[in-house]
Structures are given as C-alpha cells and as structure tokens.
Amino acid sequence: MKHLESLKKYADVIVQTGLNVQPGDIVNIVGEVEAIELMRLVNEKAYERGAKKVLVDIHDSKIFVDKMKYETAESLSEVPEYHKLRNQYLEDEKVSMLYIKSDSPELLKDIDADKVMKRQIALSEASKSLGLSRMRYNQNWLIIGYPSEDWAKLVFPELETSEAVEQLLDAILKTVRVDHEDPVASWTEHAKFLKDRAKWLSDYNFEKLVYTAPGTNLEIGLIDGSQWAGGGHVNKDGFDIQVNMPTEEVFNSPNYREVNGTVSNTLPLSVNGQIVDNFSLTFKDGVVVEYKAEKGYETLKNLLETDEGAKRLGEVALVPVDSPISNSGILFYNTLFDENASCHIAIGKAYPGPVPGASEMNEEQVDAVGLNQSLIHVDFMIGSKDLNIDGVTRDGQVIPVFRNGNWA
Ligand code: ZN
Ligand code: ZN
C-alpha cells in the first residue's frame, strides 16, 4: 500500500487536470482488471467532483487473448448491435472517456496479424462517429497508463515480477508529475511551457519541415495558417482538458499531399499487440510508395493497407531528446510513453484542431485543405540525438528548429 498516496494524487490529476470533470458529467472508465486500485480511486474522485454517473468497464487481457485465438476473423469482425447503441449513447451524452492502458505490448504476438487487423477495422468503423466527436473535443477523453505484470516484465526483464510492476508504476507516476509536491499545479506550468513552444512555431507559419538523420531524409508540408498545439486542449464547452498523460509534444496536422522522402523509426512500435521495428517508409507526393521492416513486416503491411489514408501522414509532433521520459532511459514499448520521449509522426487520420475552422468542415472540405482521413491513427517514433529539423518559411527562409535532437 505504499503507493496509495501516490495513486490518490494520480487520480487527482486524471480527474481534475485530464478529464476536468464538471458537475453533472457522465464519466466512462475503461481499463484492465490489473488497474482496479486506480479505477476505484478515479471512480470516487469523479463522484466527489460532481459526476452524475460513472460507468466502469473492466477488461482482462488473458480473456481477450483467448477470444482472439478461438474466434474466427468473421466472428471477430461482427460488431453487435448493442455495441453500436452504446457508442451512440457515449456520443449523444458527451461522456468523458478515460482509457487506462495496461496491456502487454506483445499481447497478440501469436495471433494472426490479418485477424487482428480485420477486427480493428470493424471496431473503428462502428465507432467512426464517436471518434470524430472525440477528435473535435465535443467530449472529453484521456489516455493514461498503469502497469500490468506482462507489460512490466517486458520493460524490466531482469527483475522479479512484483518488483518490475513496482518499478514501472514508479516510472509512470514520474512521467505524469505525481512525484511533484503539487501535481495539479505542475501540470498547469508544464502546459504553459508547451503552449509557448507551439506559439513560437505557429508564428513562423512554416511551409514545410525538413528532417535529416541517419536513415531519414524527409520533407513534410504544413497547411498555411495551421496552428501548432500542445499542453492540452479546450473542449467544446470551454474547459481545459488533457487527452494524453504524459504529454511532452507540440504537434500539427501536416498537408498530407506534400510529404516526400524516407523516414526510419528510432524506437520499436507496439501496435495492436504486435511489435514492429527497424522499419522505414518512403513517401512520394504524400503516399507511402515503399516500406521495409526487419521485425513485424506483416503487421506494418496490414496497417498500411487498412485504407487509402493509412499510407499517408496525419500528424507531425516535436519532442526533444532532452525530455523527462527520454532522460529516464526507459523504453516503455507503449506509444503513449515512447511518443512523448521522441519526435514522432503518425500515419492515418489527422486531427482537425490545428486548422482553424476544420472542425466544422465536411469530408470533402477537410480533404481539400490537406487533412488526411483514415480509420487508423498510428504514431511512431523518429527522434534521436542525430535528428536535425529545419523550418522553411513561406518566403523561403530556413530556420533551425531542432539540432541534435533538441530545440535549436
Ligand atoms: Zn503525437
Ligand atoms: Zn498521434
């Protein structure tokens, strides 16, 4: 129980800073059974803050693995009617969604990648409208982490299971500033730092960013007038929220048609319970025309073939190598953490937020402006101490943005 005080503080930042629960809100907590202690605390805090209702969905990864193992691809991609109704309810009632991620990064390593992808597509299709509502911040959502035994053992293979879980919990709590005296206040300060960085970038209104590093030579076009974001969002009701904890990034939605060159990953990517590593993508006029992977080639292939938008870029994010998560030296094998230790980009759907007015646009307008559409949004890490990034302004000036992995 030595963690109880820390977990209470974690629940505080989740409920206050992250979801910013207001009286009358409905909150949905989704997590693994291993996170039950945290779920109980969040549940209680949410009610204390005046939530009208808290709905808790508890999953178990071992039960899930058997589902994936024994069911056919056809059965797995059948989305029951009640599931669709539930998604509709979550959207209509603007339910605040908390996702607690504990699953092992290699959970589905023995399951056919094609089966995994078919199910993922079916679920994404059934929650398309809800996903859009979240991307527009019509409703609050937040992704956080909590250790499970399998995940902890992958991160700290040299430790006993219980020790590994403790270590991973400690590491997670540090990344979300729960080790600070007043975590909520430190989040406010941290958010301001990221917002200032975002403003610095937005003021240049770069036409493109040029990335150079070993295995990387990439140009990413940016949309005229787009605004870099970081340090949280303001939801449709005007409240400040965080959608990822931790967060160390400032990001933008690129002009998907203007991406050219090759990019190589620098940290392994765990996607749908499978690991992809030592991979590179080559873009021509915004589309991946060539790709390689030493590990998880099939998973990468399936991912890129999800739909047309899966071969195009949907996010560009900057994170210095000299940041708390990367300085911890821990490889989390979990994108929520690893993407906040490294510059990253995402294939798939672009957030409309950075482009003024885009939240109100229809699909054709969104496409015309250069925002990519897809059922997926998968971030992968490309930052390192060898990465340099230049910004090219609309009148051709070259401004150093990153040098040797850090802000120039
Ligand atoms: Zn990101
Ligand atoms: Zn992303």
Side-chain angles (χ1 to χ4, degrees):
M1 279 287 132
K2 78 172 180 152
H3 279 300
L4 186 61
E5 283 314 306
S6 303
L7 286 185
K8 281 184 178 165
K9 283 183 168 184
Y10 195 12
D12 276 337
V13 290
I14 290 164
V15 172
Q16 289 187 45
T17 307
L19 294 175
N20 198 352
V21 173
Q22 299 298 313
D25 281 359
I26 304 177
V27 177
N28 183 203
I29 303 171
V30 184
E32 303 271 324
V33 64
E34 300 192 69
I36 190 68
E37 206 182 341
L38 179 65
M39 291 164 104
R40 287 181 183 137
L41 292 169
V42 171
N43 180 64
E44 186 184 3
K45 297 257 180 214
Y47 278 123
E48 279 172 9
R49 290 264 297 184
K52 178 168 87 174
K53 216 189 276 289
V54 183
L55 311 166
V56 182
D57 296 331
I58 302 169
H59 299 279
D60 176 64
S61 57
K62 297 195 169 56
I63 288 176
F64 177 63
V65 171
D66 277 345
K67 180 184 184 66
M68 296 303 293
K69 185 173 154 191
Y70 290 106
E71 286 192 32
T72 61
E74 195 195 4
S75 165
L76 285 168
S77 42
E78 246 170 40
V79 181
E81 211 49 41
Y82 72 81
H83 187 101
K84 295 177 191 161
L85 289 169
R86 179 179 175 279
N87 284 345
Q88 195 59 53
Y89 171 84
L90 295 171
E91 184 183 342
D92 291 347
E93 298 294 328
K94 293 186 180 181
V95 173
S96 285
M97 312 280 301
L98 173 67
Y99 301 95
I100 305 175
K101 296 288 182 189
S102 305
D103 39 329
S104 161
E106 289 194 297
L107 187 67
L108 301 179
K109 71 170 190 293
D110 298 326
I111 310 287
D112 175 33
D114 187 51
K115 206 162 146 179
V116 174
M117 188 43 66
K118 282 201 173 112
R119 176 172 183 276
Q120 203 50 49
I121 291 173
L123 287 179
S124 301
E125 260 159 12
S127 64
K128 208 175 161 187
S129 176
L130 175 63
L132 222 65
S133 165
R134 281 196 298 248
M135 271 199 164
R136 290 173 170 164
Y137 311 110
N138 274 339
Q139 59 196 100
N140 302 348
W141 54 279
L142 171 63
I143 305 175
I144 61 153
Y146 193 85
S148 64
E149 290 186 351
D150 287 348
W151 178 18
K153 276 194 287 196
L154 193 75
V155 178
F156 299 109
E158 71 287 359
L159 300 179
E160 295 281 331
T161 304
S162 62
E163 185 58 20
V165 171
E166 290 282 299
Q167 289 280 328
L168 183 55
L169 180 57
D170 270 343
I172 290 173
L173 293 176
K174 278 195 187 116
T175 69
V176 290
R177 297 174 154 73
V178 163
D179 59 329
H180 293 205
E181 176 81 20
D182 182 348
V184 173
S186 345
W187 266 94
T188 309
E189 195 183 311
H190 175 55
K192 184 178 178 313
F193 172 80
L194 293 173
K195 283 182 179 127
D196 289 348
R197 274 288 160 199
K199 185 176 180 310
W200 179 80
L201 289 163
S202 301
D203 286 348
Y204 276 111
N205 190 21
F206 290 122
E207 186 172 358
K208 62 182 175 186
L209 296 181
V210 181
Y211 287 67
T212 42
T216 293
N217 222 312
L218 184 72
E219 289 195 7
I220 301 177
L222 298 175
I223 297 167
D224 199 359
S226 61
Q227 301 292 305
W228 289 79
H233 300 277
V234 178
N235 72 8
K236 273 286 159 65
D237 297 323
F239 292 104
D240 285 313
I241 55 164
Q242 298 292 336
V243 299
N244 283 186
M245 289 177 135
T247 182
E248 300 288 338
E249 66 171 1
V250 292
F251 74 94
N252 203 339
S253 295
N255 185 341
Y256 81 78
R257 292 183 180 85
E258 289 172 12
V259 181
N260 284 289
T262 298
V263 62
S264 299
N265 78 308
T266 51
L267 291 176
L269 164 67
S270 165
V271 60
N272 300 331
Q274 293 166 330
I275 290 178
V276 188
D277 202 6
N278 295 330
F279 65 94
S280 67
L281 306 178
T282 300
F283 291 86
K284 189 169 186 307
D285 299 327
V287 182
V288 173
V289 289
E290 210 188 301
Y291 56 94
K292 287 187 236 162
E294 279 176 26
K295 182 170 186 184
Y297 178 81
E298 281 303 309
T299 303
L300 180 64
K301 181 173 183 282
N302 278 310
L303 202 62
L304 290 166
E305 286 175 357
T306 308
D307 55 21
E308 225 181 301
K311 281 200 170 86
R312 308 189 299 223
L313 225 55
E315 180 187 326
V316 45
L318 304 177
V319 182
V321 287
D322 190 10
S323 73
I325 301 175
S326 105
N327 287 338
S328 76
I330 298 169
L331 180 58
F332 285 86
Y333 294 97
N334 177 315
T335 301
L336 172 64
F337 295 90
D338 296 330
E339 75 168 357
N340 282 303
S342 174
C343 281
H344 58 272
I345 53 182
I347 46 169
K349 191 162 177 54
Y351 286 83
V355 177
S359 291
E360 321 307 326
M361 291 177 184
N362 64 29
E363 269 185 46
E364 280 112 73
Q365 291 167 318
V366 160
D367 181 76
V369 92
L371 288 170
N372 191 30
Q373 303 301 299
S374 171
L375 285 175
I376 64 159
H377 174 101
V378 177
D379 299 274
F380 59 95
M381 287 60 78
I382 61 168
S384 71
K385 61 171 186 26
D386 300 317
L387 175 65
N388 292 322
I389 306 171
D390 284 327
V392 181
T393 63
R394 278 166 214 271
D395 56 7
Q397 286 182 67
V398 179
I399 310 289
V401 176
F402 263 58
R403 282 295 173 270
N404 302 316
N406 283 306
W407 290 101

